[in-house]
Amino acid sequence: MDNNVMDYNAMDSSTSQLMKELRFTRIICIISSVLTFCLLVGGVFLFGKVQKLAEICEPAIEKISDVDVESLNETLDNVNASLESVDWEQVADVLGELDVDALNSAVEGLDTEELTEALQNLNDTVDKIKEVSEKMSSFGSMFGGIFNQGQ
């Protein structure tokens, strides 16, 4: 019997150890399941946000796809070539010679209301000249049509 009691105690201690390990494994599984669920919910949330962002960006992407890349590259090459041909030392010298104080005093003495009025008058005059030019053009085409009919 002593042998059975000893086996029972040994088995009881080994069963107890297995129970502890099983409890620990259950806790770890529950924690990993909760984390997996949180990741899944976060993924769905993130997917929804990315979809909304894609919808917002779609018009911009369409406009960007309409850009003629070759023409843009040629223009940038032309600008780059133009900038390379600029004498930057000369530009710096000219800007260094600029009398900033005189420019500031000229701007301070500027009557913006008078300038606005003068520009408005100039714009009105240009509009009237365009009207007269259009009338003269239509008048000339009318006479041109009359003279061309007789030929």
Side-chain angles (χ1 to χ4, degrees):
M1 280 236 158
D2 286 335
N3 213 2
N4 279 341
V5 172
M6 199 175 219
D7 285 339
Y8 181 73
N9 286 338
M11 208 159 132
D12 190 34
S13 103
S14 132
T15 305
S16 170
Q17 182 66 27
L18 285 174
M19 292 292 283
K20 286 180 186 178
E21 288 180 13
L22 182 60
R23 203 173 301 126
F24 179 73
T25 304
R26 283 182 184 169
I27 292 171
I28 296 298
C29 285
I30 289 172
I31 291 172
S32 68
S33 296
V34 168
L35 288 176
T36 302
F37 179 74
C38 290
L39 284 173
L40 183 63
V41 170
V44 169
F45 177 74
L46 188 62
F47 179 76
K49 290 291 184 182
V50 168
Q51 289 294 86
K52 288 179 184 177
L53 184 62
E55 290 173 7
I56 291 170
C57 292
E58 188 174 340
I61 292 170
E62 289 175 3
K63 292 206 186 266
I64 290 171
S65 67
D66 291 342
V67 171
D68 184 12
V69 176
E70 290 178 16
S71 174
L72 178 65
N73 284 337
E74 288 176 14
T75 304
L76 290 176
D77 287 340
N78 291 339
V79 168
N80 193 21
S82 297
L83 289 175
E84 286 176 357
S85 66
V86 172
D87 184 6
W88 292 108
E89 288 180 19
Q90 185 179 6
V91 171
D93 291 341
V94 169
L95 288 176
E97 294 172 3
L98 184 65
D99 188 2
V100 177
D101 293 332
L103 186 60
N104 283 338
S105 65
V107 169
E108 285 175 3
L110 190 63
D111 185 6
T112 56
E113 290 179 19
E114 188 175 320
L115 179 63
T116 302
E117 190 175 311
L119 288 174
Q120 184 62 39
N121 289 339
L122 183 62
N123 286 336
D124 292 343
T125 304
V126 168
D127 289 341
K128 289 185 182 192
I129 289 173
K130 283 182 183 177
E131 288 177 22
V132 169
S133 174
E134 289 173 0
K135 287 180 182 178
M136 293 294 272
S137 174
S138 66
F139 188 68
S141 67
M142 182 176 73
F143 278 121
I146 292 173
F147 292 124
N148 285 339
Q149 285 179 354
Q151 291 178 350

